[in-house]
Amino acid sequence: LREQKVPYKLSQGGRTIEVPASKVYDVRLNLASEGLPQTGNVGFEIFDKYNFGMTDFAQQMNYRRAVQGELERTISQLNGVEQARVHLVIPQERLFERDRQEPTASVVLKLKRGTTPSEEEVSAVVHLVSSAVEGLKPENVTVVDTRGRLLSSAANRLGADGASPVLTGTALKLQQQYEQHLQDELQTMLDKAFGIGKAVVRVRAELDFSSKETQRELIQPAAPGQKTGVLLSRQRLNETYTGSPNTIGGPPGVASNLRPATGFAGSSGTSSYTRTEETENYQVSKSIERIKETPGSVKRLSIGVLVDGRLTAQQRTDIERMIAAACGLDTSRGDNVSVASLPFDRKSLEADEADMKRERQQQTYLAFARIGAAVVIMLLFLAMVRSTLHKPSEPKEQIAALPESTESAEVQPQEVGTLILESAEPAEPEAEQRRPPIPQIEERDTTARRLAQENPEEVAQLIRSWMLEQTGRR
């Protein structure tokens, strides 16, 4: 600004530069051509200028700065976010897997005044950052705001079975809807039994949203002494031997094994044996069950009922039995019903009823007032119409062809004809006899229309003067 000789002034603690109004647009164009003002977020344009002497460490640092800057620009475009800062920690690659470290990220959000991000919005920021960095897991992303509040604790929290944050929020909504549905059904039944406002019911449900798949193999052994199942294989081995043994006897040593043998004569006779072996393989009965449990099953129900007034033991038992039958309670899973009787505080209820009664009365009075106003307006309108229709008869006037000049109002009956204006009141018998026949009236009407089409301005001025005369007479 000094080089361009533009006067300026700093305001708002140096955050705003004020220039003359006549030069503000020229100054903005000049600053934009110089790349000003800069937000401080450096993106991938940092690689537009390449330095040959840059080391590998500097390249990695520039890449990290570029990713951080691009993420900051993207997150700042979200609704409710005024400014964002992103810090990435990307460890160096290691040779061994045991020495490898996971990358982490931290996000600081400066929110707009009066805005609070929802769990889904924070989860979106977490997944946006984790998807932009290689190897970064959503649970390693931390999101905080400028007030120091941790926003990503709920977004990074996983269920017992590793459910995603979105599923956790949906499960909570489904559980609340199920509780509200049971509560409405039971409240309707209690209102029928005790009256509206005489009983209150609350339902607490625990739902299991874990997804399980179970596979079971049931093998049924055969009964003793019975062959059951399908024969798979059979193996039978029969071995028979018959012959005379030729054994050499003698003292142990080398001399007995040399020829000619000098041993003793062997024993004489025959020998034989038989061996039979049989093996059978049967397929035993086996059943395989694959059970897949869908999320949303009921683990436990707890129901509390509060009744206005006093209840007998029999009435309490009947209510518990009725509630258990309506909700399908299962005592094996720990379901329970609690019924109590206490006098209700009617002061607030009576005050609400009085306010509602007062409001209904005001609405009734307002409706009557609107109807009365409409009737009065209708009567006034009918009176005006009646007074217009029953005005006194006016003398007959004749309209001649108007001259070109608007100053003269003389008419010539022989050129144009006559237009009769009569009163709407019933005429006397003599007046009825003096009325012209219908064809003559139609001829005059045609003449008047032609005159209005040829000289509209003069006819309009004439009718305006008649209206002024009628207003003056009234």
Side-chain angles (χ1 to χ4, degrees):
L1 296 179
R2 292 177 181 175
E3 293 178 357
Q4 297 178 3
K5 297 181 180 181
V6 176
Y8 65 91
K9 182 177 65 175
L10 299 178
S11 62
Q12 297 183 1
R15 294 180 299 178
T16 303
I17 301 175
E18 297 181 357
V19 296
S22 59
K23 298 183 179 181
V24 61
Y25 298 107
D26 296 336
V27 171
R28 286 179 180 176
L29 291 175
N30 295 333
L31 293 178
S33 62
E34 298 293 336
L36 300 174
Q38 295 181 355
T39 58
N41 299 335
V42 180
F44 284 105
E45 65 272 7
I46 193 173
F47 294 103
D48 293 342
K49 298 180 181 179
Y50 181 77
N51 296 327
F52 291 97
M54 185 175 297
T55 61
D56 184 39
F57 176 77
Q59 287 280 14
Q60 294 180 1
M61 292 300 299
N62 287 339
Y63 175 75
R64 186 182 306 178
R65 290 177 58 192
V67 174
Q68 292 178 169
E70 295 294 337
L71 287 174
E72 291 172 0
R73 293 174 181 176
T74 304
I75 297 175
S76 300
Q77 299 298 322
L78 300 178
N79 293 332
V81 179
E82 183 177 349
Q83 190 177 359
R85 289 296 304 271
V86 179
H87 302 279
L88 300 178
V89 178
I90 303 177
Q92 296 181 356
E93 296 183 358
R94 301 292 182 179
L95 179 62
F96 298 101
E97 183 68 21
R98 64 175 180 269
D99 299 333
R100 184 175 179 273
Q101 298 179 358
E102 296 181 351
T104 59
S106 301
V107 182
V108 181
L109 300 179
K110 183 179 181 181
L111 305 174
K112 295 180 181 179
R113 182 174 300 178
T115 60
T116 301
S118 62
E119 184 176 341
E120 288 79 7
E121 294 174 346
V122 176
S123 178
V125 173
V126 169
H127 284 77
L128 174 65
V129 176
S130 63
S131 301
V133 180
E134 182 181 0
L136 180 59
K137 299 180 179 179
E139 55 267 24
N140 293 335
V141 179
T142 303
V143 182
V144 298
D145 61 359
T146 52
R147 297 182 181 179
R149 296 180 301 177
L150 182 62
L151 303 178
S152 59
S153 58
N156 290 341
R157 184 177 64 248
L158 298 179
D161 59 341
S164 63
V166 178
L167 180 59
T168 305
T170 305
L172 180 60
K173 293 180 181 179
L174 292 176
Q175 179 175 338
Q176 293 175 353
Q177 292 177 1
Y178 179 73
E179 294 175 350
Q180 187 64 36
H181 173 70
L182 288 182
Q183 183 174 314
D184 294 341
E185 295 290 336
L186 297 178
Q187 187 66 51
T188 303
M189 183 174 57
L190 292 175
D191 291 342
K192 295 290 185 181
F194 298 98
I196 299 176
K198 295 293 185 179
V200 179
V201 61
R202 292 294 181 268
V203 178
R204 174 63 178 173
E206 294 182 10
L207 304 182
D208 186 8
F209 290 96
S210 59
S211 180
K212 299 179 181 179
E213 185 174 358
T214 306
Q215 180 176 350
R216 295 188 298 180
E217 294 185 5
L218 302 178
I219 300 176
Q220 299 177 357
Q226 296 181 359
K227 296 181 179 180
T228 60
V230 180
L231 180 63
L232 295 181
S233 63
R234 176 182 294 174
Q235 181 179 4
R236 180 175 297 176
L237 177 63
N238 295 326
E239 184 177 352
T240 303
Y241 176 77
T242 302
S244 59
N246 187 13
T247 59
I248 302 299
V254 177
S256 298
N257 296 323
L258 295 178
R259 293 183 181 275
T262 58
F264 298 97
S267 60
S268 60
T270 60
S271 64
S272 64
Y273 72 92
T274 301
R275 184 170 67 91
T276 302
E277 181 179 350
E278 185 176 356
T279 303
E280 295 180 352
N281 295 324
Y282 289 90
Q283 179 66 41
V284 297
S285 300
K286 180 175 64 173
S287 60
I288 301 176
E289 296 181 358
R290 290 183 176 88
I291 303 174
K292 185 176 182 180
E293 299 179 1
T294 58
S297 60
V298 180
K299 296 175 61 177
R300 184 181 178 186
L301 280 178
S302 299
I303 303 174
V305 180
L306 184 61
V307 181
D308 186 15
R310 295 182 179 181
L311 294 176
T312 62
Q314 183 64 31
Q315 290 177 341
R316 185 176 286 104
T317 303
D318 294 341
I319 293 175
E320 291 178 356
R321 188 182 301 109
M322 178 179 58
I323 296 296
C327 293
L329 297 185
D330 188 1
T331 56
S332 61
R333 64 187 182 189
D335 297 351
N336 62 83
V337 180
S338 178
V339 180
S341 59
L342 291 173
F344 287 2
D345 185 9
R346 296 288 178 180
K347 294 181 180 180
S348 59
L349 183 60
E350 292 175 356
D352 294 340
E353 291 180 354
D355 294 340
M356 293 176 61
K357 184 178 180 181
R358 190 181 305 108
E359 185 177 357
R360 286 196 298 267
Q361 291 179 354
Q362 292 179 357
Q363 293 179 357
T364 303
Y365 295 155
L366 182 59
F368 287 159
R370 291 177 179 175
I371 294 174
V375 171
V376 171
I377 293 174
M378 184 63 68
L379 293 176
L380 292 176
F381 177 74
L382 292 176
M384 293 176 60
V385 172
R386 183 179 180 83
S387 61
T388 303
L389 295 177
H390 293 78
K391 60 184 179 180
S393 58
E394 299 292 337
K396 300 179 180 179
E397 299 181 0
Q398 297 181 348
I399 304 177
L402 299 178
E404 296 182 358
S405 176
T406 59
E407 298 178 356
S408 175
E410 297 180 357
V411 296
Q412 297 179 3
Q414 64 276 11
E415 297 180 1
V416 178
T418 305
L419 177 63
I420 305 298
L421 300 178
E422 297 183 358
S423 173
E425 294 182 354
E428 297 296 332
E430 298 179 357
E432 293 180 357
Q433 296 177 0
R434 293 194 299 266
R435 282 183 181 176
I438 294 178
Q440 186 176 2
I441 295 177
E442 293 178 355
E443 181 179 1
R444 293 174 181 176
D445 188 10
T446 304
T447 305
R449 292 178 182 273
R450 180 176 57 81
L451 179 60
Q453 292 178 359
E454 294 177 355
N455 301 299
E457 296 181 358
E458 287 78 5
V459 174
Q461 185 176 1
L462 182 59
I463 294 175
R464 190 180 298 109
S465 63
W466 290 350
M467 295 176 64
L468 294 176
E469 290 178 3
Q470 294 291 337
T471 305
R473 291 179 182 179
R474 291 182 182 179

